[in-house]
Amino acid sequence: SSGINAEYGGIQATQILDCSIGFVMERVDFILVGAVGVVENGGLINKIGTYPVAVMAQSLNKPFYVAVESFKFYRNYPLCQLDLPNDSKYLDSEEKGHPTVDFTPPNLVNKLFTDLGVLTPSAVSDELIKLYI
């Protein structure tokens, strides 16, 4: 078997290893991930490997969705992997070893399912303004 089969809320799902995504991506309807954080531009910070999954999803025209709570929205505006602070990327805040998270740009995210409703990536900055006013 290539993954763990399960049912969540009546929806059949299979959890697979990140490295096998190329093999199964053509057979999936959509991708749903969680997020460690969502930044001001609607991009997300998540465990390492999320960005390449989103790139592959876009290349195969598969929707890429994020399920995340609004308390994980934060005021940061990275434009690429190098813009993430080291204390966010590495376990010991020094640039050693492999990063633990990556940045997925907002152009790869179709929708965010949040406690505030279903949002587009561009709506995240509006929600942050409401939270900080």
Side-chain angles (χ1 to χ4, degrees):
S1 173
S2 63
I4 300 168
N5 292 314
E7 188 171 314
Y8 300 99
I11 299 172
Q12 278 297 117
T14 302
Q15 180 180 349
I16 61 168
L17 295 172
D18 292 343
C19 59
S20 65
I21 195 71
F23 181 78
V24 299
M25 184 68 79
E26 292 177 352
R27 299 183 298 177
V28 303
D29 297 318
F30 61 88
I31 290 74
L32 176 65
V33 299
V36 172
V38 178
V39 297
E40 200 165 345
N41 66 2
L44 62 116
I45 310 298
N46 202 27
K47 72 178 192 81
I48 195 76
T50 304
Y51 175 56
V53 169
V55 169
M56 185 170 295
Q58 184 183 55
S59 72
L60 293 173
N61 296 315
K62 303 292 181 172
F64 185 85
Y65 301 125
V66 182
V68 64
E69 302 91 340
S70 62
F71 73 85
K72 294 182 178 180
F73 290 5
Y74 71 101
R75 296 183 73 185
N76 193 332
Y77 207 91
L79 298 175
C80 67
Q81 306 300 328
L82 298 176
D83 290 341
L84 293 177
N86 282 346
D87 63 348
S88 296
K89 285 190 288 196
Y90 301 99
L91 294 176
D92 62 6
S93 76
E94 292 183 28
E95 196 172 329
K96 294 180 185 175
H98 298 285
T100 58
V101 297
D102 59 22
F103 171 67
T104 302
N107 65 302
L108 299 177
V109 177
N110 293 92
K111 299 278 186 209
L112 297 108
F113 299 105
T114 76
D115 52 300
L116 303 173
V118 179
L119 304 176
T120 62
S122 62
V124 171
S125 62
D126 294 336
E127 293 302 327
L128 275 167
I129 290 169
K130 290 177 192 174
L131 290 171
Y132 284 98
I133 291 182

